[in-house]
Short mmCIF file of all heavy atoms in Angstrom, two decimals:
data_model
loop_
_atom_site.label_atom_id
_atom_site.label_comp_id
_atom_site.label_asym_id
_atom_site.label_seq_id
_atom_site.Cartn_x
_atom_site.Cartn_y
_atom_site.Cartn_z
N GLY A 66 10.79 -0.64 11.08
CA GLY A 66 11.36 -1.94 11.39
C GLY A 66 10.36 -3.08 11.50
O GLY A 66 10.70 -4.18 11.93
N ALA A 74 -0.03 -8.13 6.48
CA ALA A 74 -1.22 -8.56 7.22
C ALA A 74 -2.05 -7.36 7.64
O ALA A 74 -3.29 -7.38 7.55
CB ALA A 74 -0.80 -9.37 8.44
N HIS A 86 -16.75 -0.06 0.48
CA HIS A 86 -16.78 1.35 0.11
C HIS A 86 -17.04 1.55 -1.39
O HIS A 86 -17.72 2.48 -1.79
CB HIS A 86 -15.47 2.02 0.51
CG HIS A 86 -15.40 3.47 0.17
ND1 HIS A 86 -16.11 4.43 0.86
CD2 HIS A 86 -14.74 4.12 -0.81
CE1 HIS A 86 -15.88 5.61 0.32
NE2 HIS A 86 -15.04 5.44 -0.68
N ASP A 88 -18.43 -0.73 -3.59
CA ASP A 88 -19.51 -1.53 -4.20
C ASP A 88 -20.51 -0.67 -4.96
O ASP A 88 -20.94 -1.04 -6.05
CB ASP A 88 -20.23 -2.36 -3.14
CG ASP A 88 -19.50 -3.65 -2.82
OD1 ASP A 88 -18.58 -4.01 -3.57
OD2 ASP A 88 -19.87 -4.29 -1.82
N ASP A 96 -20.31 -2.32 -18.11
CA ASP A 96 -19.42 -3.23 -18.82
C ASP A 96 -18.76 -4.20 -17.82
O ASP A 96 -17.99 -3.77 -16.96
CB ASP A 96 -18.35 -2.43 -19.56
CG ASP A 96 -17.35 -3.30 -20.30
OD1 ASP A 96 -17.58 -4.52 -20.42
OD2 ASP A 96 -16.32 -2.76 -20.75
N ALA A 98 -16.34 -6.36 -18.05
CA ALA A 98 -14.87 -6.39 -18.08
C ALA A 98 -14.30 -5.18 -17.37
O ALA A 98 -13.36 -5.29 -16.58
CB ALA A 98 -14.37 -6.46 -19.52
N MET A 114 1.17 -6.05 -1.14
CA MET A 114 2.08 -5.29 -0.29
C MET A 114 3.46 -5.94 -0.25
O MET A 114 4.47 -5.25 -0.30
CB MET A 114 1.51 -5.16 1.11
CG MET A 114 2.41 -4.36 2.05
SD MET A 114 2.85 -2.70 1.49
CE MET A 114 1.28 -1.88 1.61
N ILE A 115 3.50 -7.27 -0.17
CA ILE A 115 4.79 -7.97 -0.18
C ILE A 115 5.54 -7.64 -1.47
O ILE A 115 6.74 -7.35 -1.44
CB ILE A 115 4.60 -9.50 -0.04
CG1 ILE A 115 4.03 -9.85 1.34
CG2 ILE A 115 5.89 -10.26 -0.32
CD1 ILE A 115 4.99 -9.67 2.49
N ALA A 117 5.20 -4.95 -3.35
CA ALA A 117 5.60 -3.55 -3.32
C ALA A 117 6.85 -3.36 -2.46
O ALA A 117 7.80 -2.67 -2.86
CB ALA A 117 4.46 -2.67 -2.80
N ASP A 123 14.48 -4.26 -3.81
CA ASP A 123 15.28 -4.62 -4.99
C ASP A 123 15.79 -3.40 -5.74
O ASP A 123 16.93 -3.35 -6.17
CB ASP A 123 14.48 -5.51 -5.95
CG ASP A 123 14.18 -6.88 -5.39
OD1 ASP A 123 14.78 -7.25 -4.34
OD2 ASP A 123 13.33 -7.58 -5.97
N GLY A 126 16.94 -0.46 -2.36
CA GLY A 126 17.63 -0.86 -1.16
C GLY A 126 16.78 -0.77 0.09
O GLY A 126 17.27 -0.89 1.20
N GLU A 129 13.59 3.20 3.41
CA GLU A 129 14.31 4.43 3.79
C GLU A 129 15.09 4.99 2.60
O GLU A 129 15.04 6.20 2.35
CB GLU A 129 15.26 4.15 4.96
CG GLU A 129 15.99 5.41 5.38
CD GLU A 129 16.82 5.24 6.64
OE1 GLU A 129 16.58 4.30 7.41
OE2 GLU A 129 17.70 6.09 6.85
N GLN A 130 15.77 4.14 1.87
CA GLN A 130 16.54 4.61 0.73
C GLN A 130 15.62 5.19 -0.35
O GLN A 130 15.96 6.18 -1.01
CB GLN A 130 17.41 3.48 0.16
CG GLN A 130 18.53 3.06 1.10
CD GLN A 130 18.06 2.16 2.23
OE1 GLN A 130 16.88 1.85 2.39
NE2 GLN A 130 18.99 1.73 3.07
N TYR A 131 14.46 4.58 -0.52
CA TYR A 131 13.48 5.09 -1.48
C TYR A 131 13.04 6.50 -1.07
O TYR A 131 12.99 7.42 -1.91
CB TYR A 131 12.28 4.15 -1.55
CG TYR A 131 11.11 4.71 -2.31
CD1 TYR A 131 11.13 4.78 -3.69
CD2 TYR A 131 9.98 5.16 -1.63
CE1 TYR A 131 10.05 5.30 -4.39
CE2 TYR A 131 8.89 5.68 -2.32
CZ TYR A 131 8.94 5.75 -3.70
OH TYR A 131 7.87 6.27 -4.38
N GLN A 134 15.83 8.99 -1.60
CA GLN A 134 15.96 9.30 -3.03
C GLN A 134 14.85 10.25 -3.48
O GLN A 134 15.04 11.04 -4.38
CB GLN A 134 15.94 8.02 -3.85
CG GLN A 134 16.47 8.20 -5.24
CD GLN A 134 16.74 6.87 -5.91
OE1 GLN A 134 16.92 5.84 -5.27
NE2 GLN A 134 16.79 6.89 -7.22
#
Side-chain angles (χ1 to χ4, degrees):
H86 180 73
D88 277 348
D96 178 11
M114 180 56 69
I115 294 288
D123 292 348
E129 181 173 341
Q130 292 78 358
Y131 169 75
Q134 197 166 339

